[in-house]
Amino acid sequence: MCDGCEKKLENSFEDKTVDLGMLDPILDEFKGQTGSVISILQKTQDVYGFLPLDALKYIADKTGNKRAKIYGIATFYAQFRLDPVGKYVILQCQGTACHVNGSKEVSYAICDELNINPGGTTEDNMFTVEDVACLGCCSLAPVIMINGEAYGKLTPDSARKIIKDIYNKEKEGAVS
């Protein structure tokens, strides 16, 4: 690896202090298993919601892999997040059925309501919005998925209402 390349890769990651002890059960589960880095990273992301730099360094040290290898895997696969996400992750389907039924208008309304662009997270860390190629719910087009729950047959107004309802529930303390 070139001089400074590892540091350049490290700059791609959110530098946030995390409890590395939460990784020990994961590393114990895969101890001695070659080819398990992706599984370890997936479980790490399940723990933190993203891949913190300190966790990647810890994984490299504990598995005996070079940090550059771990960073390379984390940055190669789109499934891995390098930045923290909001409490609610909104996946906006942009597949053909959703597109012809108004997904762009729904997306615009959601992003306008939250004042972010796709790929962004609100300042209060409540919502992250991501565009996806297809959610596999074409009969519900246009559709979004929020933390695994599908919302279909959307209009810009109904999408805004969903966001407002979630915010209202949060304010009331009804959602944990």
Side-chain angles (χ1 to χ4, degrees):
M1 174 157 270
C2 68
D3 290 339
C5 289
E6 190 170 281
K7 193 69 178 165
K8 185 177 177 184
L9 275 171
E10 288 179 352
N11 289 334
S12 303
F13 299 91
E14 177 85 14
D15 191 15
K16 185 176 179 181
T17 302
V18 294
D19 177 6
L20 296 174
M22 297 171 72
L23 290 179
D24 290 334
I26 296 168
L27 294 168
D28 288 344
E29 179 182 345
F30 293 99
K31 189 173 186 172
Q33 296 181 30
T34 57
S36 58
V37 172
I38 290 175
S39 297
I40 292 170
L41 293 178
Q42 288 169 329
K43 290 190 176 234
T44 300
Q45 185 166 278
D46 289 345
V47 168
Y48 301 112
F50 72 110
L51 296 176
L53 179 60
D54 284 348
L56 296 176
K57 290 177 180 175
Y58 191 71
I59 291 167
D61 294 345
K62 293 292 184 180
T63 61
N65 286 294
K66 294 186 180 220
R67 289 180 178 178
K69 178 181 178 181
I70 302 299
Y71 300 161
I73 292 170
T75 56
F76 179 78
Y77 292 102
Q79 67 177 296
F80 295 122
R81 296 185 176 108
L82 307 181
D83 298 309
V85 293
K87 181 175 182 180
Y88 297 93
V89 177
I90 301 172
L91 303 177
Q92 303 181 130
C93 185
Q94 300 302 327
T96 303
C98 287
H99 179 76
V100 298
N101 285 295
S103 65
K104 287 294 179 195
E105 291 79 10
V106 169
S107 175
Y108 177 79
I110 291 170
C111 290
D112 181 59
E113 188 68 30
L114 297 173
N115 197 27
I116 58 174
N117 292 315
T121 299
T122 56
E123 287 185 20
D124 60 3
N125 293 319
M126 188 66 69
F127 290 96
T128 295
V129 176
E130 296 179 356
D131 285 338
V132 295
C134 184
L135 290 172
C137 307
C138 300
S139 63
L140 299 175
V143 64
I144 62 172
M145 192 169 282
I146 303 176
N147 290 0
E149 183 176 348
Y151 298 83
K153 306 280 186 193
L154 294 172
T155 64
D157 288 341
S158 66
R160 287 180 189 271
K161 184 177 182 322
I162 291 166
I163 303 300
K164 289 176 183 173
D165 286 349
I166 291 172
Y167 263 127
N168 287 335
K169 286 179 184 175
E170 285 289 334
K171 287 179 186 172
E172 295 168 3
V175 180
S176 58

